[in-house]
Amino acid sequence: MQYISTRGAAAAQDFRGATLAGLASDGGLYLPESWPQFSKAEIAAMAGLDYASLAVRIMRPFVTGSLSDEELTELCQQAYGGFAHKAVTPLAQLDERHWLLELFHGPTLAFKDVALQFLGQSFAHFLEGHDRALTIVGATSGDTGSAAIHAVAGREGIEIFMLHPHGRISDVQRRQMTTVLSPNVHNIAIEGNFDDAQAMVKRMFGDSALTDTLDLSAVNSINWARLMAQIVYYFAAALQLGAPHRPVAFSVPTGNFGDVFAGYVASRMGLPVERLIVATNINDILHRALSSGDYSRAELSPTATPSMDIQVSSNFERLLFDLGGRDGAAMAETMRSFDASGALQIDETLRAAIGERFVSERVDGDAMSRAIRWAYEEARQVIDPHTAIGLAAAHRYDGDPAVPVVTLATAHPAKFDDAVERACGIRPALPTRVGDLFDRQEQSTVLPNDYEAVRQFVIENAMAKANA
Ligand SMILES: *Cc1c(COP(=O)(O)O)cnc(C)c1O
């Protein structure tokens, strides 16, 4: 399988190349040159497989040429063996029509573990026998940083530097990063805000003196391997609810459009998906794009669902490219104009194509709180605020009432305990497996909001390892 860039100018890569690069050299995102297809009979034959075996079936056509069946099987078993639930992503029923797909049984209690555990295994596999270490740098406002750290902690050949804004993330989120004491994990608390941290990371990728010295890599959701790993749970859920003989709808709390794009890929591969419901909070660029064609940047409003607080959705480019005729040159021009003006208008033809597979809803904080209360009072399920945005959107969905609607539960409620308690009066406890989080020792370095200081810290620590 070869991967092409959405902007048409970068050379095609195999799975290994696309995974290690993350972003294509022309600034575009990698997509497989064609969608693998599963027949109804092939999908029916997947029923009853354990999660790791299902993952091998789904991912196999995407990794040909880079991983053998044995290697892929090994990576999937390693990635999913550590989840706290045997089913990895179990379904919970809310009522006759509504279901929750629990994606938070990984080490850091959010759905990003499902993808990053696999990505961590893939990085380690592809780097085996390499003489230069891979240096991962990232900025986090919460979930991505901890999931990435847990995915690569202790791995040979990888150093990870994760920047977070000092004093501005929750205690649970900070401790999930700073209590990982592996020598290849470097937590940096920046005396600034999240935007300062992110700007420094962007600057490092553009700093040629730095990129000549270190092999820099990123782990954000533009990496194709992350999206690919997320396709699996759409199949797992639909199979349990009767696919391929019955369609299913999915409601997805959305930020960067990564998770819901994986659902779109599942449908392109033959899974009968009635609709994908794109659920946004009040930072609603995607809802505006899908409902009126207006994809334009707006002022960011902080909410109780910080992992969905975005101004632009990086992975939306993949959908525009795929449904817009896969014209790389045209896409490059579209994105150039979007970067310059902060806005783009989606034409009628493209909107109609998107509308065949997607609907969208914008859910405000009151509706989010009502959904938390509804889940608790009607189904005795305590859900997190992100999941509640998805559930509120699922309740508004007016598709065929016989079709089950699955809401993706993207975080464990204990990660956002204050907001949950405010909504339904219950303060969810951390699961026992992470219950000693508050007793563990922390390790991090506070640095000033100064690029040179951070750059120097990264170089010194990465080089110390290289020379050891
Ligand atoms: C990252 C995240 C999301 C948004 O996922 P995208 O792939 O960016 O759309 C939703 N909920 C939680 C809890 C997250 O951590």
Side-chain angles (χ1 to χ4, degrees):
M1 175 64 83
Q2 290 290 302
Y3 288 83
I4 57 172
S5 164
T6 51
R7 302 201 188 169
Q13 299 261 14
D14 60 9
F15 175 71
R16 179 183 189 279
T19 301
L20 289 177
L23 195 69
S25 58
D26 58 5
L29 309 177
Y30 285 113
L31 274 186
E33 60 189 349
S34 63
W35 298 120
Q37 297 297 312
F38 289 128
S39 69
K40 216 170 159 176
E42 284 170 320
I43 295 173
M46 294 172 189
L49 291 177
D50 65 75
Y51 192 89
S53 307
L54 179 66
V56 172
R57 290 273 178 99
I58 305 292
M59 296 191 212
R60 184 154 50 197
F62 290 109
V63 303
T64 49
S66 292
L67 291 173
S68 69
D69 270 12
E70 294 72 43
E71 290 168 331
L72 179 61
T73 302
E74 174 73 20
L75 296 186
C76 289
Q77 284 174 351
Q78 294 290 337
Y80 300 117
F83 277 62
H85 197 290
K86 277 248 173 338
V88 180
T89 61
L91 274 176
Q93 187 161 18
L94 292 171
D95 62 14
E96 307 75 47
R97 188 180 185 198
H98 291 279
W99 301 75
L100 287 179
L101 178 58
E102 295 180 354
L103 302 175
F104 49 70
H105 294 285
T108 71
L109 311 179
F111 88 99
K112 291 185 172 72
D113 287 323
V114 182
L116 279 162
Q117 285 291 313
F118 179 80
L119 185 67
Q121 297 292 339
S122 303
F123 272 149
H125 175 81
F126 289 139
L127 292 169
E128 241 167 67
H130 260 233
D131 45 0
R132 279 227 302 200
L134 191 70
T135 303
I136 295 172
V137 291
T140 187
S141 55
D143 295 339
T144 300
S146 56
I149 285 172
H150 281 258
V152 304
R155 290 192 190 285
E156 192 124 351
I158 301 178
E159 296 293 316
I160 184 165
F161 295 85
M162 193 54 68
L163 280 60
H164 69 264
H166 187 42
R168 300 192 196 205
I169 60 175
S170 78
D171 288 350
V172 173
Q173 287 179 322
R174 186 191 71 251
R175 285 183 161 274
Q176 282 185 322
M177 298 195 284
T178 57
T179 60
V180 179
L181 302 178
S182 308
N184 71 329
V185 172
H186 310 275
N187 278 293
I188 302 173
I190 296 289
E191 291 175 321
N193 61 28
F194 172 66
D195 291 331
D196 297 328
Q198 194 164 45
M200 283 196 210
V201 170
K202 283 210 176 118
R203 195 163 157 193
M204 281 189 238
F205 278 92
D207 180 338
S208 57
L210 190 65
T211 54
D212 286 348
T213 320
L214 302 172
D215 281 337
L216 287 194
S217 183
V219 288
N220 49 14
S221 73
I222 47 115
N223 195 304
W224 164 257
R226 277 183 66 172
L227 299 192
M228 180 184 77
Q230 293 171 233
I231 301 166
V232 178
Y233 50 69
Y234 287 92
F235 275 87
L239 282 162
Q240 285 181 65
L241 294 173
H245 313 293
R246 178 160 86 144
V248 178
F250 289 95
S251 181
V252 188
T254 306
N256 245 329
F257 206 75
D259 203 2
V260 73
F261 188 80
Y264 165 77
V265 177
S267 77
R268 294 301 302 246
M269 294 171 77
L271 190 71
V273 175
E274 186 188 50
R275 279 290 187 289
L276 293 157
I277 304 161
V278 175
T280 76
N281 64 21
I282 56 173
N283 296 295
D284 63 349
I285 180 170
L286 285 168
H287 174 59
R288 284 181 282 117
L290 269 58
S291 55
S292 70
D294 165 33
Y295 186 79
S296 64
R297 212 185 261 276
E299 199 63 38
L300 195 72
S301 312
T303 70
T305 45
S307 298
M308 301 164 68
D309 288 346
I310 47 97
Q311 279 185 301
V312 297
S313 287
S314 334
N315 284 296
F316 196 52
E317 178 173 343
R318 287 187 153 112
L319 185 73
L320 296 176
F321 175 76
D322 196 48
L323 284 178
R326 290 195 157 221
D327 181 340
M331 198 70 229
E333 189 44 48
T334 301
M335 293 315 293
R336 235 190 324 274
S337 132
F338 176 73
D339 285 343
S341 68
L344 74 86
Q345 195 61 34
I346 302 169
D347 70 43
E348 277 307 318
T349 323
L350 186 49
R351 260 181 68 202
I354 294 173
E356 283 172 25
R357 295 175 188 268
F358 295 89
V359 294
S360 69
E361 292 290 343
R362 171 194 197 269
V363 177
D364 65 18
D366 287 342
M368 181 277 286
S369 295
R370 278 198 302 278
I372 292 181
R373 272 198 298 283
W374 181 90
Y376 183 65
E377 283 162 12
E378 302 298 322
R380 284 291 177 253
Q381 290 278 344
V382 179
I383 62 173
D384 110 284
H386 302 81
T387 307
I389 298 268
L391 181 60
H395 279 155
R396 292 179 198 163
Y397 176 58
D398 64 355
D400 178 350
V403 169
V405 184
V406 177
T407 296
L408 273 56
T410 50
H412 190 286
K415 252 190 134 156
F416 300 95
D417 46 8
D418 290 337
V420 173
E421 185 174 22
R422 270 198 302 277
C424 72
I426 302 288
R427 194 169 180 85
L430 283 170
T432 47
R433 68 195 152 91
V434 292
D436 68 343
L437 192 63
F438 283 86
D439 305 325
R440 289 184 223 151
Q441 189 193 337
E442 291 189 79
Q443 165 72 51
S444 72
T445 306
V446 181
L447 289 178
N449 187 5
D450 169 43
Y451 179 70
E452 284 310 321
V454 175
R455 179 182 192 275
Q456 202 50 39
F457 180 87
V458 170
I459 291 183
E460 269 167 23
N461 284 277
M463 296 310 276
K465 276 300 162 44
N467 299 330

